[in-house]
Structures are given as C-alpha cells and as structure tokens.
C-alpha cells in the first residue's frame, strides 16, 4: 500500500513538473506577439477587410508566430530538462507543426494555391505517421494510414475554417487541449501527450488577450500559420493518446471526436452548404456556425461563449464515458449528444447568413427547441436500430453466443448507429412530414437501411474481424429495421387516414383543388391542418401528374374533364391555384362549377420585392 502511495505521489510530481515546463509556452507566446506588433512586419502582414470577412479594419496576421513559438518553447524546455524524451513521436508532431507553420506563414504573406496548401498538409501528416503515430486500433496497415491522414488533414482544415470570428478558434483549441491533458493523466497515461496538450493550451492563453479583447476588436489574428498548427497539433495529440491505443472500445473511439465536435460540426455545415451552392469549400464566407448564431441576435463574444460551453460539455461527456467504461451507457450518451448536434445543426442550416439581426439573445436560445419532433425521431430511431440489431442477433444465435460474437456485436452496433444516422440524413428521413408520406419515402427508408448495413458490414469485416459472428445477422437486420422504421414513420399517416375513413364525410367540407403545383401542395398541407376540411382530389393539365397521388391525394383528371371530376367527387367547393392558366381553361372550370352550383374561388400567390409571400383567397 505504501509502495502504491509512493508511486502515485511520484506520478503526481512528474505531472506537476511537466506542467511547469509546458508553462513556458505562455510567456513566450505572449511576448513574441507583443514584440512583433511593434515591428514593421505588423504593418505589412495584415488581413484587409473584405465583403466575405467578419472584421472591419486591417489586422496583423502575427498570432500564429507566437502560438508556434510557444508550442516549440514548451516542448523544448521539457526535452531539455528530461521531462520527456526526444522520441520519434515528438519529432513527427513538432516537425509536422513546423511544416504547416512555414506553409501558413507564406500563405499569409502571399496567398498560396489551394493545392500547394493541401500538399503541405499531406506532407505534415506523412511525417507524423512515418514517425510512428498511427491508428493502431485498425489492424490493416493501409487503412490505418488512410484513416490517420484523413483525420490529420481534416482537422487541420477544420480549424483553418473555424478561425472566422474573434476568439473562437483559440478558445475551442484551449478547451480541447485541456481535455486531452486530463485524458493523458487519467485514462490514457502519456507524458508526451500531456506535454504537447499543455504546451498548446498555454500558447493559446498567451495569444488570447490579443485576439479576444473585452472592448474593441482583435488587435492580431493567428492567420493560417496559427490555425493550421492548432488543428494539426490537436489532431495528432488525439491520434497519439486515444486511437494509438490498441484496445478498442466505443469510448476510446469517440473521445477525440467529441472533444473536437464543434470544429467538426462547423466544417460539415460549411462544406455541405458550399457544395450545394456550387462554391469552393476553401473560399471565405459568412456562412459559418458562429456567423449564423450572431445573425440571430447574439453578440460576437456571446456566440464564442456559447460555442465554448458546447465544446466544454461535449469534452466532459467524452471523459465521463471513458471513466465509466460501460458500452451501453456510452451509446445512450452518444445518442443524446448526436440528437442535440443534429438539432443544433438543422437549426443553423436554416438560418439566413450575413447580416446581424438586432434581436434579444433569448430569441436564439428559445428557437433551439423548434425541432422538438425531429429530436424525438432521433431518439426513437436509436431505440429501433438498437432493438432491431439485438433482435437479429438473438434470432440468428438463439442465445448469448460466444465471447467473440458478443465482442463483434458491441463494436458493430455503434458503427451501425453512426452509419444509419448518416444514411437517414442523406436520404432525407429527417426532412419529411410523415403524415403525408408516400411510396417514395418508403423506398428511401429501405435504401438508407441497405446503405448503412453495407457500410457496417465492411467496417466489421475490415476493422473488427468476424470471430465466428454470423453474417446472416446483417440480412435479418435489413428486413427487421426497414419494417420497424417504416411502421414508426407511417403510423401517423395510417391514423390520419383511419380517422378520415371512420369520420362521417357529411360532417366535413370537401375541397377539390385545381392545380397540383407548389401552391396547390402548400394549400393541401394547410387544409389538412384545418379542422373540418378535407381535400378530395386534384385537377391538373400536366399529363405526367394525372393518375398519380400527391401526398396521398389523387390527381383525378385534367381541366377539360372538370365536369366529370365534380360529378364523381362531389366537392363542396373548388379552389383554383393556377390563375395564370389559359383563360379558356379557367372559364371552363368556372362554367362547370356554376352548372353544378359549387362555389369556386381563386388562390393567388403574390411575391413582393422584400421576399414576403402572401397567400390570399379572392372570390371569383
């Protein structure tokens, strides 16, 4: 017991000394930036205001010099004092940071070609992996290398994109480095990871007073020379401290992802939006997470605080999962986290970017609950996906199975959850209004399940191994999960249809809509939400639509057969949503309604210059 106590005290003393050595990064970073601001370079190396940028005056791009100098000083003191060895791992990480610092500094001086910039990033990643920092949780060497390169280059660009508002990138980098330092002391003990994490943290603290000031805008930016170094260093630390561990657990896999979730979310959002808009991903713009938050009424500083709180909470959960070591608790926690991020991201994606809106901050925070139904859908899907895979395992195994089978199941399930959620998003399963779901939505469910099952199958085959795990479980899961998710999605439509059948039709106002275009479909949705209204059909001249069903309502005929449609459907009123149709066609509709003594009205959609849309019903 005494020996254990002495060992613990010795470990604590080593951590304290390591922290003191890393503390060197703070004054070096602080003094380097302060000194450079007094040189002619501060007037030459500046970021000028642009339409797609957030700042409004020329600002020196010298913060990256201080950050790299601080990081280099912290590691150098630790090596010189013998706190850590000058290992291949340290050489690879610091060398990779040096490559990106040099490339970023040149890019700040005179804009690099994007391909040259990307080449430097791949070169830095190759150096780190060549020096032994690689993904050891994957047995296949080629795939492990590819995964490592993608992670390193991806996170480097994530922080490069994240540096879009005063104080944001440096704050999130400091928070992430603290969590990696805690992990290096508690979960995955590593003196090297501890030293690197603390050096990054203290270098960020030295830069922060210049970049995130209480009053006024930033006096210095970090530039590409700083953002690339921070992203690459944090990615390498996560790779070294977590994914380098051969014992693969769910918590081990998600630790770096949750710690760096905010930069990942921002990069994903910007990438998707810019690809959809046909713009280069590397092109600047006011479409980042922080910009969207500010446009909803929060100040710049409050937006940084909000994202910092989100990053802190996500990092805390990741450490908690590693400490608990319970796979099912981890999966449940990751589900809630994913549901929140999906909610957060879906809200931000719908926000108009660019101009600031003078609203109270509470209007933004309150609006995060807009997508409550989507949040519930994510939770229900988690239960259905997990239950389906567990039931498929039980049906095929007919028992608990061997230790190897259970091992594969525990690793395949989180992979299945991730791939299935991604597929559900890609196939639009979180966009539709399921009360009006049709055959196309059912096909999307089946396609999403098959696609995600295929990804999980190959993930298990390549990264986990079979260990006598029956492959037929995946086929059973496709059938069972498609059925369960389909029932969950279509129950609302089934109930609504059942009520419409059981309800006395004489007690409803029956409406026939002329025009199955956008206005007609919008009117259908509106009337379905109105008590006592029932749309009995569409009439449209588009030959491609006739005979089809739109949100469950049939297009029964063209305008020339309006009389037949009135006699067959016996509506109480007719609403025309295509007032721009040929006059003779509209006159035929009016005449048929007059003969049948059915009221006919025209719905006009007016679009004003300020983009406000008004829908009005005018008697005809």
């Amino acid at each position: 017991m005494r020996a254990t106590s002495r060992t613990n005290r010795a470990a604590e003393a080593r951590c304290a000394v390591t922290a003191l050595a890393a503390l060197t990064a703070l004054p070096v970073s602080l003094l380097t930036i302060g000194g450079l601001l007094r040189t002619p370079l501060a007037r030459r190396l500046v970021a000028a205001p642009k339409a797609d940028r957030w700042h409004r005056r020329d600002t020196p791009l010298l913060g990256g010099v201080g950050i790299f100098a601080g990081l280099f000083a912290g590691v150098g003191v630790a090596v010189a004092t013998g706190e850590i060895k000058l290992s291949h791992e340290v050489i690879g990480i610091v060398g990779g940071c040096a490559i990106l610092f040099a490339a970023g500094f040149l890019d700040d001086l005179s804009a690099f070609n994007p391909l040259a910039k990307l080449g430097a990033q791949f070169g830095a990643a190759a150096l780190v992996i060549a020096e032994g920092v690689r993904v050891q949780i994957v047995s296949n060497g080629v795939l492990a290398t590819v995964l490592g390169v993608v992670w390193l280059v991806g996170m480097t660009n994530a922080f490069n994109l994240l540096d879009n508002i005063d104080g944001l990138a440096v704050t999130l980098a400091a928070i992430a480095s603290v969590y990696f330092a805690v992990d290096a002391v508690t979960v995955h003990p590593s003196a090297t990871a501890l030293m690197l994490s603390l050096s990054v943290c203290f270098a960020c603290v030295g830069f922060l007073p210049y970049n995130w000031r209480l009053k006024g805008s930033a006096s210095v930016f970090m530039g590409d020379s700083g953002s690339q170094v921070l992203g690459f260093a944090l990615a390498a630390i996560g790779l070294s401290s977590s994914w380098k561990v051969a014992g693969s657990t769910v918590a081990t896999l998600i630790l770096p992802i949750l710690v760096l979730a905010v930069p990942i979310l921002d990069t994903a959002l910007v990438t998707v939006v810019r690809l959809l808009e046909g713009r280069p991903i590397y092109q600047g713009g006011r479409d980042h997470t922080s910009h969207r938050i500010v446009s909803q009424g929060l100040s710049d500083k409050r937006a940084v605080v909000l994202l910092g709180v989100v990053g802190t909470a996500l990092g805390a959960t990741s450490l908690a999962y590693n400490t608990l070591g319970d796979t099912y608790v981890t999966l449940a926690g990751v589900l809630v986290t994913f549901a929140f991020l999906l909610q957060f991201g879906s809200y931000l994606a719908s926000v108009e970017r660019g101009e600031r809106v003078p609203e109270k901050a509470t209007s933004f925070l309150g609006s995060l609950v807009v997508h409550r139904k989507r949040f519930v859908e994510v939770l229900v899907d988690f239960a259905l996906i997990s239950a389906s895979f567990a039931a498929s395992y039980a049906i095929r195994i007919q028992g608990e199975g061997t230790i190897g089978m259970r091992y594969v199941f525990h690793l395949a399930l989180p992979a299945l959850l991730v791939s299935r959620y991604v597929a559900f998003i890609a196939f639009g399963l979180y966009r539709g209004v399921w009360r009006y779901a049709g055959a196309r939505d059912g096909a999307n469910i089946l396609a999403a399940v098959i696609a995600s099952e295929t990804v999980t199958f190959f993930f298990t085959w390549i990264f986990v191994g079979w260990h006598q795990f029956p492959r037929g479980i995946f086929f059973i899961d496709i059938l069972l999960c498609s059925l369960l998710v389909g029932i969950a999605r279509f129950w609302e439509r089934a109930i609504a249809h059942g009520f419409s059948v059981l309800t006395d039709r004489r007690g409803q106002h029956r409406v026939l809509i002329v025009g199955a275009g956008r206005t007609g479909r919008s009117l259908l949705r509106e009337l379905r939400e109105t008590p006592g209204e029932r749309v009995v059909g569409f009439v449209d001249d588009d030959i491609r639509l006739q005979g089809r069903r739109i949100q469950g309502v049939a297009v029964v005929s063209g305008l020339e057969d309006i009389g037949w449609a009135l006699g067959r459907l016996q509506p109480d009123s007719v609403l025309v949503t295509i007032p721009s149709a040929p006059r003779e066609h509209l006159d035929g509709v009016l005449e048929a309604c007059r003969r049948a003594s059915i009221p006919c009205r025209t719905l006009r959609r007016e679009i004003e210059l300020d983009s406000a849309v008004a829908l009005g019903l005018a008697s005809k």
Side-chain angles (χ1 to χ4, degrees):
M1 227 175 151
R2 290 180 180 176
T4 303
S5 178
R6 284 196 299 271
T7 302
N8 291 337
R9 285 197 297 271
E12 291 172 358
R14 284 196 300 272
C15 290
V17 174
T18 301
L20 287 175
L23 186 59
T24 309
L26 197 159
V28 170
S29 174
L30 190 70
L31 295 174
T32 299
I33 297 172
L36 287 172
L37 287 177
R38 293 172 173 81
T39 66
L41 190 61
R43 294 186 296 273
R44 180 187 173 192
L45 188 59
V46 296
K50 296 180 181 178
D52 60 352
R53 301 295 180 180
W54 203 246
H55 62 287
R56 297 176 180 175
R57 63 183 180 86
D58 289 350
T59 306
L61 291 168
L62 298 171
V65 180
I67 290 173
F68 179 72
L71 171 61
F72 191 82
V75 175
V77 170
V79 172
T81 57
E83 290 306 311
I84 61 172
K85 296 179 180 179
L86 188 60
S87 61
H88 289 285
E89 184 176 344
V90 173
I91 293 173
I93 294 176
V94 176
C97 289
I99 292 173
L100 290 178
F101 166 72
F105 189 78
L106 292 175
D107 188 34
D108 292 334
L109 279 173
S110 57
F112 255 24
N113 182 292
L115 291 179
K117 192 174 178 180
L118 193 63
Q121 294 170 1
F122 275 104
L127 176 61
V128 167
I129 292 174
E131 294 296 332
V133 182
R134 62 188 60 171
V135 182
Q136 294 185 8
I137 58 176
V138 177
S139 57
N140 187 296
V142 175
L143 288 173
T145 299
V146 171
L147 183 59
V149 170
V150 169
W151 170 253
L152 291 167
V153 173
M155 287 311 307
T156 301
N157 285 290
F159 268 87
N160 194 20
L161 290 171
L162 189 70
D163 184 28
N164 54 67
I165 196 170
D166 293 353
L168 179 58
V170 67
T171 298
L172 292 177
I175 291 171
S177 60
V178 168
Y179 280 119
F180 282 132
V182 174
D183 176 70
V185 173
T186 57
V187 183
H188 304 116
S190 170
T192 299
L194 177 62
M195 167 53 61
L196 291 168
S197 300
L198 292 178
S199 295
V200 169
C201 179
F202 289 131
C204 289
V205 173
F207 167 73
L208 193 59
Y210 298 102
N211 189 243
W212 200 41
R213 304 164 70 189
L214 294 178
K215 295 182 180 180
S217 57
S219 61
V220 66
F221 292 159
M222 67 173 66
D224 281 6
S225 62
S227 60
Q228 290 194 108
V229 167
L230 287 182
F232 184 83
L234 291 171
I237 293 169
L239 191 63
S240 173
S241 62
S242 184
W243 289 359
K244 187 179 175 183
V245 180
S248 54
T249 65
V250 175
T252 297
L253 289 170
I254 66 169
L255 173 64
I257 296 174
L258 286 182
V259 169
L260 299 170
V262 174
I264 293 172
L265 174 65
D266 180 72
T267 303
L269 181 62
V270 169
T271 300
V272 171
V273 169
R274 292 181 183 178
L275 287 176
L276 291 176
E277 294 179 353
R279 294 191 291 127
I281 298 173
Y282 57 82
Q283 186 181 58
R286 296 186 173 189
D287 53 0
H288 290 271
T289 302
S290 55
H291 300 153
R292 294 168 187 266
I293 293 174
V294 171
S295 72
Q296 295 304 291
L298 267 70
S299 66
D300 291 12
K301 290 181 174 58
R302 288 187 177 183
V304 173
V305 170
L306 174 62
L307 291 174
V309 169
V310 172
T312 301
L314 292 173
T317 59
S318 67
L319 287 179
Y321 300 147
N322 274 276
T323 302
L324 291 173
D326 189 308
T327 299
Y328 294 104
V329 172
T330 299
L331 287 176
V334 171
L335 161 70
V336 175
T337 301
F338 182 85
F340 167 76
L341 290 175
L342 181 64
Q343 171 104 335
F344 193 41
S346 63
Y347 169 76
L348 291 175
S350 64
V351 168
E352 293 295 328
R353 292 99 57 197
E355 299 300 325
R356 301 168 189 242
V357 178
E359 298 178 359
K360 295 181 180 178
T362 51
S363 65
F364 167 75
L365 297 176
S367 63
L368 285 178
V369 298
V370 168
H371 303 287
R372 289 188 297 270
K373 186 174 180 181
R374 291 288 176 262
F375 189 86
V376 173
E377 284 181 354
V378 172
L379 297 178
V380 170
D381 284 343
F382 172 80
L384 295 178
I385 295 168
S386 302
S388 173
F389 197 60
S392 301
Y393 178 86
I395 291 171
R396 181 63 180 82
I397 300 297
Q398 297 184 351
E400 294 185 0
T402 64
I403 295 176
M405 292 178 182
R406 294 196 296 272
Y407 169 78
V408 175
F409 175 85
H410 288 153
L411 289 181
L413 179 57
L416 180 65
L417 285 165
V418 172
S419 59
R420 191 141 289 168
Y421 275 127
V422 171
F424 281 9
I425 294 171
F427 282 88
L429 269 61
Y430 293 120
R431 290 199 305 263
V433 180
W434 290 101
R435 182 177 177 182
Y436 313 129
R440 180 175 298 179
D441 299 293
N444 286 339
I445 292 174
L446 180 60
V449 170
I450 292 175
S452 55
E453 201 81 40
T454 303
V455 171
T456 307
F457 179 88
F458 283 104
F459 170 86
T460 306
W461 185 12
I462 296 170
F463 297 118
V464 181
W466 294 117
H467 301 280
Q468 299 180 337
F469 188 84
R471 280 70 155 180
I473 291 175
F474 293 99
F475 179 75
I476 298 173
D477 185 58
I478 289 176
L479 301 177
L480 191 56
C481 189
S482 299
L483 177 63
L484 293 177
V485 174
I487 291 174
R489 290 299 195 274
F490 284 88
W491 72 272
E492 187 175 351
R493 175 183 172 180
I495 291 177
H497 180 71
F499 274 116
S500 68
V501 172
L502 295 175
T503 302
D504 184 1
R505 295 185 178 183
R506 291 172 297 179
Q508 293 183 327
H509 184 265
R510 297 162 59 81
V511 178
L512 176 67
I513 298 177
V514 178
R518 180 181 299 178
T519 304
R521 296 193 297 270
S522 298
L523 179 61
L524 170 61
R525 288 191 291 269
E526 184 116 8
L527 291 176
R528 277 178 160 166
E529 298 297 328
T530 304
E533 299 288 344
R534 179 168 180 257
V535 178
V536 295
F538 281 105
V539 172
D540 196 284
D541 263 349
D542 190 340
I543 192 66
R544 296 171 299 178
L545 295 178
Q546 292 180 20
R548 294 182 57 184
R549 302 184 73 85
I550 298 176
Q551 299 175 14
V553 177
V555 181
V556 295
S557 71
L559 295 184
E560 70 279 2
D561 295 322
I562 182 68
W564 173 84
L566 294 175
R568 179 189 174 204
L569 301 176
Q570 298 182 352
D572 297 312
S573 65
V574 174
L575 297 179
V576 179
T577 65
I578 47 174
S580 60
R583 186 67 188 179
E584 60 272 16
H585 290 182
L586 293 179
D587 288 342
V589 173
L590 293 173
E591 179 63 20
C593 291
R594 186 187 64 79
R595 291 179 179 178
S597 299
I598 297 174
C600 178
R601 292 183 294 172
T602 301
L603 181 139
R604 289 187 173 88
R605 179 174 184 158
E606 299 175 357
I607 303 178
E608 301 177 359
L609 293 178
D610 62 356
S611 299
V613 178
L615 292 177
L617 286 174
S619 297
K620 192 77 175 174

